[in-house]
Amino acid sequence: RGGTETLVVATTVGATYVYRIYHWPYAAPQTVFGFTTCVFSAAGPGGAVNDLCDNATPISVGSTCVGTAGTVAGATQSVAPALCSDFTAASANDVWYNFTATSTSTTVEVTGAGDADTGMDPILEVFSGNCAALVSLGCVDATLLGATETLTVPTTVGVTYYYRIYKWPYVTPVTADAFTTCVFNAGPVGTPPNDLCGSATPQSLPVGGSITFTGDNTNATSTGDALAGSIMDVGGDTTTVWHAFTITECATITLAYCGTTTLPAVYWAVLSENCPANDDVILFSAGNFTDCADGNATITFANVPAGTYYVPVRGEPATAGPYTIDVSAVACVTAGPYCDAGATNLTFEKISNVTFAGINNNSTGTAGYEDFTSIPASVVGGLDYPISVTVSGGFATDQVLAWVDWDQNEVFDVDELVFASPNGVGPFTGTVTVPLTALTGVTRMRVRLHDTYVGPDYPNTPNDTPCGNSTYGQVEDYTVDVTGIITGVPATSAQTWSVFPNPGNGDLTIQYGGADAKVTLEVLDMTGRLVHGDVLGMTQGGQVMLPLAGRLASGTYMIRFTSDRSVHEQRFIVR
């Protein structure tokens, strides 16, 4: 008695409608019969029935998605456009819906009408609170024309929530305004609000800083976590909840469960770049599962590129409970001014030693990329030098490659690949020929170990180029000092000196055709190390025997004759 009745109906502009008013006939006769009445536009200026939050259309919550047709035709903007999936529309001509939650996690969907060329591009935002004090629970604009936006939010049973739908206002207007929308339970009553990766709101993770994820995986489900048949589709009792973070530059990411009292029996040691997850995941590297003082896991992911990543938290019903994850990011070691390169997983094969032209480095294997440019090699253009790379934890599909920037343009060009091993576990050995065109001075050598495997047994991205990441392996950089080149021998010099036999066993005969001279003789191995030296008095047309058989190992050497008139260099081979 004495109250107000309100009815909102769909109307057509210009049409006439009739309404009636009557009263309830109580048993005790009434003595008051007066009332006041009014008619006003419920839809706002644009004409959409649910143009305003106060006139939100109720939607029932189902167990699956049952679509309700709607349209943004005639809608006006009631709330400013939101930042959704890193995008903000120029306007938000929105329509409104509400639902009353029946579980602790609820999914809202909207699908734009039309196709990928002319359809409606929907944007979805969900709110708690009431129309006078709305609190955004998240928004999504991850798809394009005619596609579906999905948002899963934590909810409280019996509480009413609101959501709005608007479309992206393209410069060239898209005429499609229709859509279908639905609301359904993301899981059974009591399911964690982050049971699905789509319900994980990415947090910004500053490189050089950290964030903390907390939650409870009690009553988590094993559905909706991964694409069927993918590496994460294990089903059964393997339940998973999700978090997400975003980094804006390459970083090494560490997840630490220190302080969590209820442990999962097994940890997920992956980061997913997709939701739902598939085989394109980043696997842990240098993982230590007993780092924390309380025995909990610490999981490390090396050289993670900028982007958004989903963090699965694994559990089994018998071990579910509250958890805490501290997530930290450390900037990747860069190779500047050269392109960055490395590997994202260091659990298996690593470079353990590189030997080349004075380098003999036992490496630590603690990162996907390691900078050893403080360790130099010394080479001479025109000579050959042996190279050896040893691998720890090698596989039959592993390969080692090396590049040297001979022209010093800070780019590893295609023709600067100096070594490519066959596949195997190593050690890998070969010969590097220093071109006569190599510029004198200091430059960069890059050594890459990677796994060439492509197949169904495990996810792997090989990389046989000098830039970018492979899944497994490692990249190391060194310095190469080109101290000079073997000078071209003019015809007169070639006639002056002769060394034979070549190849031979090491015993050499030197014939001299120039004027009488005092000559310094040097024999160098391919590392540039002096292995024999002498001072000779040479007479024109004379011969000198150099007995080196048994004193020189098999290989290539350089003999250099220096007088006050000239320098002559010549390679010879000992078999």
Side-chain angles (χ1 to χ4, degrees), residues 456-480:
D457 295 335
Y458 57 93
N460 178 54
T461 302
N463 187 351
D464 60 1
T465 74
C467 300
N469 289 333
S470 61
T471 300
Y472 298 99
Q474 203 171 28
V475 171
E476 295 181 351
D477 278 358
Y478 294 88
T479 291
V480 173

Side-chain angles (χ1 to χ4, degrees), residues 487-497 512-522 538 559-569:
T487 55
V489 180
T492 56
S493 179
Q495 295 170 359
T496 301
W497 295 96
Y512 178 63
D516 293 355
K518 182 180 180 179
V519 176
T520 299
L521 179 148
E522 297 168 287
M538 302 298 296
I559 188 167
R560 178 185 297 151
F561 306 98
T562 304
S563 70
D564 58 351
R565 293 180 177 87
S566 66
V567 176
H568 173 76
E569 297 170 333

